[in-house]
Structure formats: structure tokens, C-alpha cells
Amino acid sequence: MAQKQILTYPHGMKYETRDWGNQVKNGHSGSIPCNNEIHVGNYQQSTGGVNWWGESFGSDNASHVNGTHDHWDQTWGGTSQKGLAHWMQTSTNGKQTARWFDIGAESGKTDGTYVNNNARSSWLREVTGLWFLFNSHDTTTTRDCYSRVEHAAIRYRDPNGYIRIKKVTQKFGDYTYMQGLRGSSKVMFGYGLTSSERDTICKNNWHFLGLRIQFQLRRGANGTHTDYIQAGCTGLRLSLGTSTNNFNTYSSNKRALVLAGNTTWTDFNKGGQLQLETR
């Protein structure tokens, strides 16, 4: 089937956990819809209506997975599969930290910044939702230790050429923002823009640039024991369009072909023959 060789996304539907790994082409080989970049937000940035919080306490594997594309791996693996991960070890009571990550080009830049013409993406249109598998596999299962997804957003090039960072707020998947997670299970995160925002994105010239995700880690209990708290994501994928039909009741024959994720805006805007994402 074409979607096995070319990166495509089904249009107008929600994903489901059943048969997760066969719904989208695996991106582990680098077949992804944006440029292969990760920016570590270990500082505070208020932009796009959200106070994105990060600090240097703790660790992450961003530099490693930027080469392995583990966060785009669509297989549903075991507890050793953590994807893009953030973690801390602490014995401090009530210790809480957070870190955000920009995925794709123009990373770290604020909402309203002009997009460089050499920025790279697939520039896919009608992207209105973000999905992934959230895990907290290495987190201590006692002493009020949990990890959480605090914020997630889609980054766009708007019709006037500016970066727009829009938090996804309408829940489609199983996980709810700020729900504490720990243990061996993965949960499906799926959020989209509001109905009116989806309409705006789809009817105007908005192009996909990348993603932004913020994890929160917390050890809430008392005691002197050193605990480990970890958050991670795998299976990153996009949903498209204004509709939100169920995957198992909706024919997914309508799929969007994705251009190579490293296409410059200059080349995209020039038009002509462009490479599809086949890596």
C-alpha cells in the first residue's frame, strides 16, 4: 500500500489504540513531517497564550533521539521504549519541575516571529490535532511520584509568514492534561484545536511547522528516599481536517500525501516538482 512507502495521514478522523502501529508509517527511519530538530526548553517563555515553563533541574535525551527518531516510532513497545524523555532523581519533598521541547524548525522562537525562508518542513496543510503515546515507565510507583503532560501545541506558518503556536485544547484521546501517570502502561494522548480554530486553519493558508510539548515531573510525598520520575512520548502523529470521525467507523481511504519534512519554504513556495516524504 502507498502509505507503507510514502508518509501519509488519514483525513478527518481520530486515532484509536487498536492496531496503533499500522495506522501511520513508522518514522523511526526519519520519515517525519517536519525538520529533524529538537529544542530543549529549560527556561520560561510566555507566548501563544501559554506560560511555557522549564528549568535546568533534571535530564533529557533530546540530543540522542534527534538522531534515532524514537519519538516518531509508531510501534507500541514495552517499558524500555520511552521515546523523547525527561527525568529527574530527587529526595526533596514536594519537588516539581517541568521542561518543554520544540520539535521541528524555528524551534525556541516565540509566537509572532517571522518564519525564515530557509526554514524546513513538509508545510502540510489542515493539521489540526496532535497525538502520541505518553509513558512514565521508570517512575517510582509510591510516594506520590507522577509525570504529566502539562501543555502541547502545534506550531504553524500563518498566511502572513509568522510563527503561530496554538495549544491543542479539545480532548480526543484517552489521556487528560495533568493526569498523573506512572507504571508500565502507555496512554494515548490525543488533542485538537477547537472547532472554530480547525475551521480557520483548514480554510486559510496555514502550514505545519512543528510541535511543542511540555512535561511536568513531581515527587509529592514526604520522606528521605531518592526517587526517579520520568516522562516520555513515542508515536508522534498528526490529525487533519475539521471532522473528528472514529477510526474504526470511518473509511480512511482519504489520506494526505506529505512532502519531505526537510523542504525549505523557498522551494515549497516556488512550487513545481517537490519530493514526497519516502525516507
Side-chain angles (χ1 to χ4, degrees), residues 112-269:
T113 304
Y114 195 77
V115 177
N116 191 303
N117 285 333
N118 291 322
R120 295 175 182 269
S121 179
S122 63
W123 310 109
L124 186 62
R125 291 192 62 245
E126 298 195 30
V127 176
T128 55
L130 166 60
W131 301 71
F132 56 84
L133 298 179
F134 176 50
N135 74 80
S136 186
H137 292 325
D138 289 343
T139 298
T140 301
T141 56
T142 57
R143 289 181 288 279
D144 196 22
C145 296
Y146 290 98
S147 67
R148 297 171 170 88
V149 180
E150 193 162 10
H151 303 294
I154 303 171
R155 298 186 299 118
Y156 298 93
R157 184 191 188 278
D158 80 1
N160 297 311
Y162 295 98
I163 295 172
R164 296 301 173 194
I165 303 172
K166 288 191 167 289
K167 181 175 178 177
V168 286
T169 57
Q170 185 171 343
K171 180 183 172 182
F172 298 142
D174 298 332
Y175 179 81
T176 302
Y177 277 125
M178 295 303 290
Q179 176 184 347
L181 183 67
R182 61 189 183 189
S184 61
S185 298
K186 288 178 169 66
V187 292
M188 182 177 65
F189 176 99
Y191 272 83
L193 302 176
T194 65
S195 177
S196 61
E197 287 176 319
R198 295 198 302 271
D199 197 58
T200 296
I201 296 299
C202 293
K203 291 183 178 180
N204 296 281
N205 203 25
W206 291 66
H207 294 275
F208 175 71
L209 180 62
L211 304 169
R212 181 174 289 196
I213 300 171
Q214 180 171 313
F215 297 129
Q216 183 201 90
L217 311 175
R218 178 174 171 80
R219 181 189 186 275
N222 296 323
T224 59
H225 195 282
T226 298
D227 292 309
Y228 193 97
I229 302 96
Q230 170 260 322
C233 69
T234 60
L236 283 169
R237 57 181 62 178
L238 311 174
S239 56
L240 280 59
T242 58
S243 302
T244 56
N245 298 285
N246 290 327
F247 191 92
N248 61 349
T249 59
Y250 176 66
S251 171
S252 57
N253 290 331
K254 183 181 179 182
R255 301 182 73 99
L257 297 173
V258 181
L259 293 177
N262 57 1
T263 304
T264 67
W265 175 257
T266 297
D267 287 342
F268 176 83
N269 197 40

Side-chain angles (χ1 to χ4, degrees), residues 5-97:
Q5 291 80 40
I6 301 170
L7 178 60
T8 67
Y9 291 110
H11 194 277
M13 46 142 287
K14 299 180 289 187
Y15 296 102
E16 60 178 19
T17 55
R18 183 178 62 88
D19 206 28
W20 172 268
N22 292 318
Q23 297 165 5
V24 171
K25 182 184 177 183
N26 198 332
H28 209 222
S29 63
S31 191
I32 61 177
C34 59
N35 206 39
N36 186 34
E37 301 178 37
I38 302 177
H39 173 84
V40 177
N42 54 4
Y43 56 93
Q44 185 176 355
Q45 185 186 88
S46 294
T47 191
V50 176
N51 183 23
W52 298 90
W53 180 268
E55 61 179 18
S56 59
F57 186 83
S59 303
D60 64 69
N61 64 353
S63 61
H64 172 73
V65 301
N66 197 46
T68 62
H69 316 108
D70 289 348
H71 46 318
W72 296 98
D73 186 353
Q74 300 299 326
T75 62
W76 193 310
T79 56
S80 63
Q81 184 198 39
K82 301 176 185 67
L84 175 59
H86 172 41
W87 63 88
M88 70 173 180
Q89 287 182 283
T90 184
S91 60
T92 302
N93 300 326
K95 176 60 181 178
Q96 178 175 304
T97 190

